[in-house]
Amino acid sequence: MNATLGIFVKRHAQAVALKHNVSALYVCPDVNAKNKYDVDVQNEEGILTVRVYYKKVTSNIPLISNFQKIIRNRKAYSIAYAEILKCFGKPDLVHSNMLVGASLFSLYLKIKYKIPYLVTEHWTGYLPSDGNYKGFFLKSITKVVANNATFITPVSIELQNALQSHGFKKPKYQIVPNVVDVNLFSPKKSKVENSKIRVVHVSSLDDRQKNISGILTVVERISKWRNDFELIIIGDGEDKLKLEKQVKNSVLLNSIVFFNGKKTGIELVDELNKGSFFILFSNFETTVTCAALEAMAVGLPVLASDLEVSMRHINQDNGLLVEVNNLNDLEKSFNLMLDNFVKYDSVLIRNYVIKNFGAEKISVQFNSIYDEILNV
């Protein structure tokens, strides 16, 4: 599982746990597993969390390796589910995350034990602009899983439209956004004054999606005539080396762009609190990113692409929008934000996140869906 996606899932689970007993089940292959199946059971912030790691299949023969993967994966889910049964008994419903992977076991539980399930979906792959949802086997399996779910809760209407365009039309839909931990992501009482304006970008460093190279190109342009700012890039990913090379090969960028690595929790909060404003120049997203919302939760204005998912939440009160992949537009707005970021009302920006993305809000939304599923 993608570590970042895991954070999204955990926060949804914590929101649900405000009103319900929740257990989390996670299965994945592990090349370093000592045993065929390793089980880890913990209580994490009030949530029973069961992880089962199974020995990664190493066969190079496709037919054999695929068969082994299916068998081990299925066995791992059964082991994890047995642990949950011991602690909680049979669940009233299953809340699955992503149609690919865990939801197949949710379908099995529905068929064998009549346990209804819903699916929360985040994946950009379904979007036409991404195009990674392909292959006969993948499409066939996900269509069966989706159409047997009682509800699908995508994080935006754009993702809902994409899912329905792929033939997932039988379940009910309700948009439920991601959760922001507004208690963790909050402004510090006393901020350190920076000698330069500090622009922050946080992402998985996937340049095809996030267009960080475009940000660097614009920063290089601006740095030719002003040197009162710096760009802090936080995150890790497969394009990090390429992006670092782009900075290293530029004398101008070398002195104002800094890669601070992957940060989570209080370390990320500290980085955002040092910031002046947040920048995101994505080519596509399923929703306004959690990183942008976390920046807003500490009171930072946001400069972002004018994707529909961003336009719904970013406006003149909390930031600026620029045309997707338009470097000239980004340059103009970047300069404007450098000159005017102090004029934004940080309390107003933070309150918007609390009202729309706090755990209490999301808990109420999921509770309503659960009641409908269980006919409460």
Side-chain angles (χ1 to χ4, degrees):
M1 176 185 277
N2 180 291
T4 305
L5 178 59
I7 294 173
F8 300 162
V9 174
K10 182 177 181 179
R11 288 178 185 160
H12 269 169
Q14 289 170 332
V16 170
L18 294 175
K19 298 181 182 295
H20 303 280
N21 291 324
V22 177
S23 56
L25 184 159
Y26 174 57
V27 162
C28 79
D30 183 359
V31 69
N32 298 315
K34 296 179 181 178
N35 305 305
K36 198 169 184 179
Y37 299 97
D38 290 325
V39 183
D40 177 44
V41 182
Q42 296 186 36
N43 188 303
E44 297 184 3
E45 300 177 64
I47 297 174
L48 175 70
T49 305
V50 181
R51 297 180 179 88
V52 177
Y53 304 93
Y54 60 91
K55 191 177 287 292
K56 190 172 183 178
V57 174
T58 56
S59 172
N60 293 321
I61 303 172
L63 188 62
I64 294 176
S65 65
N66 288 336
F67 179 74
Q68 287 181 324
K69 287 176 186 176
I70 292 171
I71 295 299
R72 290 185 190 180
N73 181 273
R74 175 66 182 79
K75 177 67 173 177
Y77 273 110
S78 295
I79 292 171
Y81 182 66
E83 290 290 336
I84 290 173
L85 285 178
K86 283 195 298 185
C87 297
F88 271 165
K90 180 182 174 183
D92 295 304
L93 61 84
V94 175
H95 188 152
S96 185
N97 284 272
M98 297 187 67
L99 290 164
V100 180
S103 295
L104 192 59
F105 187 69
S106 303
L107 175 61
Y108 164 78
L109 293 178
K110 178 181 179 180
I111 293 171
K112 185 165 184 178
Y113 300 112
K114 310 300 181 186
I115 304 172
Y117 68 92
L118 69 153
V119 182
T120 291
E121 188 55 78
H122 313 256
W123 190 37
T124 61
Y126 298 107
L127 300 175
S129 49
D130 185 317
N132 274 319
Y133 180 63
K134 54 191 175 182
F136 175 79
F137 181 74
L138 174 63
K139 289 187 174 183
S140 299
I141 292 296
T142 51
K143 190 171 183 178
V144 171
V145 171
N147 287 327
N148 276 279
T150 308
F151 263 92
I152 294 182
T153 59
V155 290
S156 69
I157 188 63
E158 288 76 18
L159 183 54
Q160 175 179 325
N161 292 338
L163 291 167
Q164 290 176 322
S165 73
H166 291 298
F168 309 158
K169 297 181 178 179
K170 287 186 179 180
K172 292 183 179 180
Y173 281 82
Q174 184 168 320
I175 309 302
V176 181
N178 287 316
V179 177
V180 177
D181 186 343
V182 294
N183 294 318
L184 175 63
F185 289 90
S186 59
K188 283 190 172 180
K189 292 181 179 179
S190 58
K191 287 193 175 184
V192 177
E193 293 295 327
N194 301 315
S195 58
K196 289 188 174 183
I197 299 168
R198 191 178 176 96
V199 185
V200 182
H201 171 87
V202 182
S203 76
S204 58
L205 305 192
D206 178 353
D207 196 41
R208 175 173 170 264
Q209 180 181 358
K210 306 296 183 179
N211 199 4
I212 306 157
S213 57
I215 296 176
L216 294 176
T217 298
V218 167
V219 166
E220 185 173 31
R221 286 185 193 176
I222 298 173
S223 65
K224 291 177 181 178
W225 57 275
R226 66 184 297 175
N227 62 358
D228 61 340
F229 72 98
E230 59 187 11
L231 173 65
I232 309 301
I233 298 177
I234 298 170
D236 199 4
E238 61 183 29
D239 290 326
K240 185 178 180 182
L241 291 178
K242 182 191 80 168
L243 296 167
E244 287 178 329
K245 186 176 180 180
Q246 183 178 350
V247 172
K248 185 178 180 181
N249 291 340
S250 167
V251 175
L252 292 171
L253 291 179
N254 244 321
S255 60
I256 60 170
V257 178
F258 304 95
F259 290 86
N260 283 8
K262 183 179 178 181
K263 305 289 184 184
T264 58
I266 195 63
E267 286 186 329
L268 179 55
V269 175
D270 289 341
E271 289 285 356
L272 291 173
N273 268 288
K274 294 174 187 174
S276 305
F277 67 89
F278 185 88
I279 185 168
L280 189 71
F281 194 41
S282 300
N283 290 320
F284 54 88
E285 297 283 358
T286 57
T287 185
V288 61
T289 70
C290 269
L293 293 172
E294 288 163 354
M296 291 168 66
V298 304
L300 299 188
V302 173
L303 175 60
S305 305
D306 63 351
L307 301 167
E308 287 188 37
V309 294
S310 299
M311 293 170 68
R312 198 168 293 114
H313 301 288
I314 299 173
N315 52 51
Q316 62 184 5
D317 292 329
N318 54 32
L320 292 173
L321 293 169
V322 301
E323 185 179 343
V324 176
N325 201 31
N326 186 327
L327 299 185
N328 292 331
D329 196 17
L330 179 62
E331 182 179 357
K332 177 183 175 182
S333 295
F334 196 108
N335 271 306
L336 192 61
M337 186 66 87
L338 287 172
D339 292 333
N340 294 281
F341 70 91
V342 293
K343 297 179 181 179
Y344 287 91
D345 185 337
S346 61
V347 174
L348 183 68
I349 294 173
R350 172 171 168 76
N351 285 343
Y352 181 84
V353 177
I354 294 172
K355 179 180 178 181
N356 293 281
F357 301 94
E360 287 285 351
K361 168 83 172 185
I362 307 306
S363 177
V364 169
Q365 289 181 269
F366 276 132
N367 189 63
S368 174
I369 295 169
Y370 295 166
D371 283 350
E372 185 172 343
I373 293 173
L374 299 173
N375 296 315
V376 175

